[in-house]
């Protein structure tokens, strides 16, 4: 759907069979032979090759990450050579030869709690698990040394490794334990390999990410009503019921292991169901869920969505993608992306003209955009802030005028005092009068000053209380 | 193609069953009745009816059934292949009072057979037999059609809890047979993981290509 042509295996049945004609299926990694015939051939040529020094060549390549090779054909041959060194030609003889050591080494892992990755790492570091650890390290080195291989090849290598490890476990562990262990292994390996294989240069993931991102951006006018998402503007405290789902899906890009990314998808889906449940009493069906998920993806515009999906497909454990809840949610996410990529007017109950005009931005959705709640709040806040600022200014002004008035008044009092003293000086000989006048003027001044300061305090207090009230609301 | 069945008798079969059908034919009620034994009930514990699982024990063998509801609205029709890839069984539901929904089932059957061949077990289900009086799809026509495409036909009523248990039990048995036959044909169960992962890889392929690639099970 989102990788039209270049992916997929288009071969007919005959080409899949072993070139030797033994009736079993062949494998391109074995140059078209089945495992048995290939082993026969290899055994013959192996002795020569070892003496010719291919061994040391391949081994040294592990240390030099920038190992240059020109022919891709030769590349794949070398990979299989290295793999043969690491894994031996086939597991059965090996399993027989060291099954006892294996069981001892894997015993401690059986007591692991599900999802306890830290303890897994601790156990892996113990000497009893050395065999497993060295296998993993060797594999990681191989992949890192061959990081310039096409990403599909790397995906094959990783998946083959999962299979090998799984069969190694299944000889000594119950089925549920194996899948648990595989999850740890996947996490360990892919956390290390993420930077090498995510959004690999050999594919056009990056372009497709950008395309998808632009596509989603251009669809920002789509409302939940157009998608028939049951959407209630119910609670005022929750501005968008899908906010948690949106956060979860955006978080996916930050995770490194495929299973952690899948966990984000699951979390997102659960939140979608929660949101759906708040608007309806009946359990959500697939139509509701998919519509809501599409809406969430449109709103979130998750970073590098295409790359993330491809990464999970290529390097995730098959069983978590195939079956189970996470598989279902992942499938729905794939559907959502496919739907968005081919979205047109009729799918939204719009005529194609309407759709086009929306796309070109000539028309704005009649209903206010979904985030109007938030915008409204922001607008209100802005208005309040402006109001506050105005009042603050008014207050400042008031204080200033009050000061001026006070100054003026002081001056006038001074003036009056001076006048008074001048007058009293004229009547110097009448002592009694002068004394009385002096005491009177003193009284007048104290009283006046007290009343003015009271007034000022009252004004300021009033304004402060108003401000306080504002902050509280 | 089979994601499920593996060898020995102590192994658990895991089957993926997709639920197809137009809206309002009662898909949700059907599956909720089966998994929770409830109909239009306030006490339904699950938030959703789109992905449900059920554990069964058939003839001493454990079966994990994952039931995938699919979006049935017309605008989602093109997404079908993403949903039903790798499924072991499909339940196609129509409403016996609605001729159109039966027509829709016919389209799906055609599509499924084209994409997945004969490896998928098909069940055609006429739901709402409690509304027998308003029947618009005749029993003969429906059963005749089912037989002509190699599917089984069932009559159910989610409201009265009729025929649902039988439907799923029968489907599981058929899927087990298919899985066992496949194992025998393969000769060993070793390539099981390889097959399923090939299936995963085709996830983003064009639907037409899926058929070609579906049979591929090399590597391992």
């Amino acid at each position: 759907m989102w990788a039209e042509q270049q992916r997929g295996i288009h071969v007919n049945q005959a080409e899949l069979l072993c070139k030797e004609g033994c009736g079993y299926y062949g494998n391109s990694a074995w140059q078209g032979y089945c495992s048995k015939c290939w082993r026969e051939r290899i055994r013959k040529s192996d002795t020569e090759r070892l003496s010719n020094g291919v061994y040391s060549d391949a081994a040294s390549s592990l240390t030099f990450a920038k190992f240059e090779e020109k022919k891709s054909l030769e590349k794949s041959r070398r990979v299989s050579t290295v793999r043969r060194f690491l894994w031996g030609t086939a597991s059965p003889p090996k399993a027989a030869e060291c099954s006892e050591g294996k069981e001892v080494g894997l015993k401690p892992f059986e007591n692991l709690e599900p999802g306890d990755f830290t303890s897994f790492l601790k156990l892996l570091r113990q000497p009893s698990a050395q065999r497993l650890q060295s296998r993993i390290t060797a594999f990681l080195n191989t992949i890192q040394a061959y990081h310039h291989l096409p990403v599909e090849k790397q995906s094959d290598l990783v998946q083959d490794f999962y299979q090998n490890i799984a069969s190694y476990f299944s000889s000594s562990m119950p089925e549920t334990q194996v899948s648990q262990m595989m999850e740890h292994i996947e996490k360990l390996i892919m956390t290390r390999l993420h930077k090498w294989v995510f959004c690999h240069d050999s594919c056009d993931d990056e372009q497709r990410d950008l395309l998808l991102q632009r596509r989603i951006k251009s669809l920002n006018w789509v409302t939940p009503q157009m998608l028939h998402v049951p959407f209630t503007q119910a609670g005022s405290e929750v501005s968008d019921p899908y906010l948690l789902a949106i956060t979860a899906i955006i978080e996916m890009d930050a995770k490194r292991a495929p299973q952690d990314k899948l966990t984000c998808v699951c979390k997102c889906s659960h939140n979608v169901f929660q949101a759906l449940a708040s608007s309806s009493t009946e359990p959500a069906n697939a139509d509701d869920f998919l519509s809501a998920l599409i809406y969430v993806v449109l709103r979130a515009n998750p970073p590098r969505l295409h790359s993330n999906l491809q990464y999970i497909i290529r390097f995730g454990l098959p069983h978590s993608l195939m079956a189970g809840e996470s598989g279902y949610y992942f499938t729905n996410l794939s559907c959502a992306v496919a739907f968005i990529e081919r979205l047109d007017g009729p799918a939204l109950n719009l005529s194609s003209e309407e759709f086009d005009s929306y796309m070109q931005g000539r028309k704005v959705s009649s209903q206010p955009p979904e985030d109007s709640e938030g915008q409204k709040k922001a607008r209100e806040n802005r208005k309040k802030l402006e109001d506050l600022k105005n009042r603050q200014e008014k207050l400042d002004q008031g204080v200033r005028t009050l000061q001026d008035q006070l100054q003026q008044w002081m001056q006038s009092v001074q003036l009056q005092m001076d006048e008074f003293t001048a007058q009293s000086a004229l009547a110097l000989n009448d002592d009694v009068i002068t004394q009385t006048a002096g005491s009177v003027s003193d009284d007048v001044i104290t009283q006046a000053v007290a009343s003015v300061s009271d007034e000022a305090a009252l004004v300021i207090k009033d304004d402060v209380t108003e401000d306080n009230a504002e902050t509280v609301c | 193609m089979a994601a499920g069945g593996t060898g020995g008798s102590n192994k658990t079969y895991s089957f993926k069953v997709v639920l197809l059908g137009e809206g309002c034919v009662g898909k949700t009620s059907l599956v909720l009745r089966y998994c929770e034994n409830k109909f239009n009930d306030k006490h339904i514990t699950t938030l959703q009816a789109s992905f449900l699982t059920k554990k069964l024990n058939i003839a001493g063998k454990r079966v994990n059934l994952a039931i995938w509801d699919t979006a049935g609205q017309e605008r989602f029709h093109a997404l079908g292949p993403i949903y039903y890839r790798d499924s072991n069984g499909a339940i196609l539901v129509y409403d016996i009072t609605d001729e159109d929904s039966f027509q829709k089932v016919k389209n799906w059957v055609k599509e499924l057979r084209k994409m997945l061949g004969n490896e998928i077990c098909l069940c055609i289900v006429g739901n709402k037999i409690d509304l027998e009086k308003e029947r618009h799809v005749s029993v003969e026509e429906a059963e005749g059609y089912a037989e002509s495409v190699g599917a089984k036909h069932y009559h159910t009523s989610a409201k009265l809890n009729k025929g649902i248990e039988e439907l799923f039990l029968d489907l599981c048995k058929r899927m087990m047979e298919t899985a066992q036959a496949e194992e025998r044909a393969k000769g060993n169960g070793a390539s099981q993981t390889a097959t399923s992962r090939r299936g995963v890889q085709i996830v983003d392929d064009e639907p037409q290509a899926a058929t070609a690639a579906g049979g591929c099970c090399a590597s391992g």
Side-chain angles (χ1 to χ4, degrees):
Chain A
M1 323 284 111
W2 62 83
E4 284 83 7
Q5 296 306 324
Q6 20 84 301
R7 302 255 296 114
I9 306 138
H10 308 272
V11 276
N12 59 39
Q13 200 70 6
E15 282 176 61
L16 292 172
L17 293 175
C18 173
K19 280 208 272 186
E20 203 75 32
C22 64
Y24 284 93
Y25 283 113
N27 186 331
S28 60
W30 296 319
Q31 296 178 4
Y33 292 92
C34 74
S35 59
K36 202 155 175 266
C37 299
W38 175 244
R39 228 180 302 150
E40 291 290 327
R41 277 176 63 88
I42 285 303
R43 212 166 279 160
K44 269 184 238 154
S45 58
D46 231 3
T47 35
E48 304 159 28
R49 228 183 276 177
L50 278 173
S51 56
N52 286 343
V54 179
Y55 188 107
S56 59
D57 185 28
S60 66
S61 75
L62 299 182
T63 47
F64 300 115
K66 297 252 174 263
F67 185 73
E68 291 294 325
E69 267 177 321
K70 287 192 179 99
K71 290 175 201 157
S72 64
L73 202 92
E74 193 165 342
K75 262 185 225 157
S76 58
R77 191 179 59 73
R78 293 267 183 114
V79 173
S80 59
T81 319
V82 174
R83 266 162 61 210
R84 236 177 334 102
F85 291 139
L86 296 174
W87 302 113
T89 38
S91 35
K94 229 185 203 171
E97 130 199 329
C98 53
S99 63
E100 269 175 46
K102 227 188 267 173
E103 269 168 37
V104 175
L106 293 176
K107 253 282 123 58
F109 288 107
E110 282 175 28
N111 302 322
L112 265 184
E113 293 280 312
D116 191 355
F117 188 57
T118 337
S119 312
F120 169 77
L121 289 179
K122 271 186 204 145
L123 285 175
L124 197 64
R125 238 176 271 141
Q126 280 168 10
S128 59
Q130 207 202 348
R131 211 183 125 73
L132 180 63
Q133 201 198 359
S134 61
R135 269 182 112 160
I136 291 169
T137 321
F139 176 73
L140 286 173
N141 287 336
T142 322
I143 290 283
Q144 276 167 31
Y146 289 96
H147 69 93
H148 55 274
L149 280 183
V151 70
E152 300 309 330
K153 278 258 162 54
Q154 299 195 346
S155 158
D156 284 350
L157 285 178
V158 172
Q159 296 290 351
D160 284 350
F161 179 74
Y162 288 155
Q163 271 181 57
N164 281 321
I165 285 280
S167 58
Y168 167 73
F169 287 151
S170 57
S171 59
S172 56
M173 276 185 180
E175 210 175 337
T176 47
Q177 197 74 41
V178 171
S179 61
Q180 230 182 74
M181 281 295 281
M182 287 314 293
E183 280 179 18
H184 290 312
I185 298 271
E186 185 225 63
K187 191 164 180 166
L188 177 68
I189 289 183
M190 291 322 295
T191 309
R192 290 279 299 277
L193 291 180
H194 180 271
K195 66 171 173 192
W196 300 99
V197 297
F198 184 83
C199 200
H200 198 266
D201 295 341
S202 66
C203 52
D204 59 349
D205 282 354
E206 204 177 338
Q207 281 81 18
R208 307 200 56 136
D209 281 337
L210 285 175
L211 274 179
L212 184 60
Q213 198 150 14
R214 246 176 266 143
R215 171 81 176 157
I216 292 177
K217 212 171 162 191
S218 70
L219 287 168
N220 62 356
W221 46 269
V222 176
T223 62
Q225 289 76 20
M226 288 177 185
L227 288 167
H228 306 286
V229 182
F231 198 89
T232 40
Q233 293 276 8
S236 53
E237 74 275 19
V238 192
S239 44
D240 189 340
Y242 294 102
L243 204 64
L244 284 172
I246 292 170
T247 327
I249 194 89
I250 289 174
E251 204 187 336
M252 178 171 75
D253 186 53
K255 304 285 182 198
R256 290 212 276 180
Q259 56 179 294
D260 292 339
K261 286 180 188 288
L262 270 180
T263 312
C264 287
V265 176
C266 289
K267 211 167 104 191
C268 167
S269 306
H270 286 143
N271 285 323
V272 167
F273 283 126
Q274 286 286 351
L276 285 172
S278 68
S279 59
S280 151
T281 48
E282 278 179 28
N285 61 26
D287 282 304
D288 296 339
F289 175 54
L290 186 59
S291 311
L293 194 65
I294 291 168
Y295 170 67
V296 165
V297 172
L298 281 178
R299 279 291 310 279
N301 200 353
R304 302 193 286 181
L305 184 56
H306 174 81
S307 290
N308 275 303
L309 294 181
Q310 286 299 310
Y311 176 74
I312 295 173
I313 293 166
R314 285 178 189 138
F315 299 104
L317 284 173
H319 79 89
S320 56
L321 267 189
M322 295 290 297
E325 224 177 344
S326 56
Y328 181 72
Y329 296 145
F330 184 78
T331 306
N332 270 288
L333 184 60
S334 308
C335 284
V337 172
F339 182 82
I340 288 169
E341 280 179 340
R342 64 174 73 154
L343 187 62
D344 54 9
L348 296 171
N349 276 339
L350 302 170
S351 69
S352 25
E353 292 85 41
E354 270 179 307
F355 183 82
D356 287 343
S357 62
Y358 272 124
M359 282 303 264
Q360 287 153 12
R362 275 189 273 127
K363 199 168 167 182
V364 186
S365 17
S366 50
Q367 273 142 332
E370 310 79 33
D371 51 358
S372 66
E373 188 84 10
Q375 279 181 343
K376 221 163 66 193
K377 265 198 181 143
R379 229 176 295 131
E380 273 169 23
N381 281 340
R382 222 174 300 138
K383 230 165 76 186
K384 270 185 195 164
L385 271 173
E386 220 135 275
D387 211 35
L388 268 174
K389 212 169 112 190
N390 284 340
R391 292 175 58 178
Q392 179 80 39
E393 267 166 23
K394 245 196 311 213
L395 191 71
D396 284 345
Q397 223 176 1
V399 169
R400 249 175 281 130
T401 41
L402 198 69
Q403 261 173 353
D404 287 351
Q405 276 173 4
L406 214 66
Q407 211 101 45
Q408 273 172 17
W409 187 80
M410 293 272 276
Q411 274 170 3
S412 70
V413 169
Q414 194 74 39
L415 223 70
Q416 274 179 8
M417 283 261 291
D418 288 349
E419 254 171 61
F420 205 79
T421 23
Q423 274 175 17
S424 55
L426 285 176
L428 247 178
N429 36 6
D430 197 341
D431 280 355
V432 186
I433 297 171
T434 323
Q435 264 181 352
T436 336
S439 74
V440 164
S441 73
D442 270 356
D443 272 359
V444 168
I445 290 167
T446 354
Q447 250 175 25
V449 167
S451 77
V452 165
S453 60
D454 267 3
E455 203 180 312
L458 258 175
V459 170
I460 288 165
K461 205 168 132 198
D462 186 34
D463 268 323
V464 168
T465 14
E466 260 180 68
D467 272 353
N468 279 348
E470 198 69 45
T471 352
V472 168
C473 66
Chain B
M1 245 340 42
T6 45
S9 57
N10 57 344
K11 294 263 181 163
T12 311
Y13 288 92
S14 307
F15 293 125
K16 170 182 162 184
V17 175
V18 285
L19 208 56
L20 295 162
E22 218 182 14
C24 305
V25 295
K27 278 184 297 176
T28 315
S29 306
L30 200 76
V31 70
L32 277 178
R33 173 61 94 179
Y34 180 61
C35 294
E36 297 235 331
N37 196 16
K38 283 180 182 150
F39 181 80
N40 267 353
D41 196 319
K42 282 200 284 290
H43 306 292
I44 291 172
T45 49
T46 173
L47 280 180
Q48 44 103 353
S50 51
F51 176 84
L52 291 165
T53 52
K54 180 105 176 172
K55 287 193 166 108
L56 296 167
N57 202 324
I58 299 173
K61 295 210 168 90
R62 274 175 297 163
V63 177
N64 283 340
L65 205 59
I67 305 167
W68 291 36
D69 189 12
T70 61
Q73 290 169 8
E74 188 52 47
R75 63 204 171 110
F76 296 135
H77 187 88
L79 306 174
I82 307 180
Y83 275 118
Y84 52 65
R85 119 184 89 89
D86 297 322
S87 47
N88 307 86
I91 297 175
L92 302 122
V93 191
Y94 69 92
D95 179 350
I96 58 162
T97 66
D98 182 358
E99 172 70 46
D100 282 348
S101 68
F102 185 63
Q103 205 53 47
K104 209 72 186 286
V105 163
K106 286 184 178 174
N107 295 343
W108 258 304
V109 169
K110 249 184 252 159
E111 207 177 302
L112 282 169
R113 285 284 182 232
K114 201 174 102 199
M115 301 289 179
L116 301 176
N118 287 320
E119 285 166 48
I120 185 164
C121 299
L122 298 185
C123 294
I124 297 177
V125 177
N127 194 26
K128 303 196 188 176
I129 51 166
D130 47 294
L131 301 174
E132 188 64 50
K133 271 178 268 169
E134 297 161 48
R135 181 185 271 283
H136 279 99
V137 182
S138 78
V139 183
E140 297 78 36
E141 188 197 345
E143 283 179 347
Y145 174 73
E147 205 177 331
S148 72
V149 294
K152 283 239 173 135
H153 189 275
Y154 302 87
H155 279 111
T156 61
S157 163
K159 193 175 177 182
L160 308 175
N161 196 6
K162 266 193 188 154
I164 295 173
E165 210 55 56
E166 294 86 333
L167 156 70
F168 281 96
L169 197 66
D170 232 37
L171 175 63
C172 282
K173 283 182 187 157
R174 279 166 59 205
M175 289 192 296
M176 278 167 77
E177 278 165 27
T178 315
Q180 280 158 358
E182 215 168 284
E183 271 162 43
R184 276 197 297 276
K186 252 182 223 152
N188 56 18
S191 57
Q192 186 251 332
T193 17
T195 331
S196 40
R197 109 173 155 71
R198 289 297 175 196
V200 171
Q201 288 200 315
I202 297 156
V203 76
D204 54 352
D205 215 328
E206 281 292 281
Q208 284 76 16
T211 356
C216 166
C217 58
S219 148

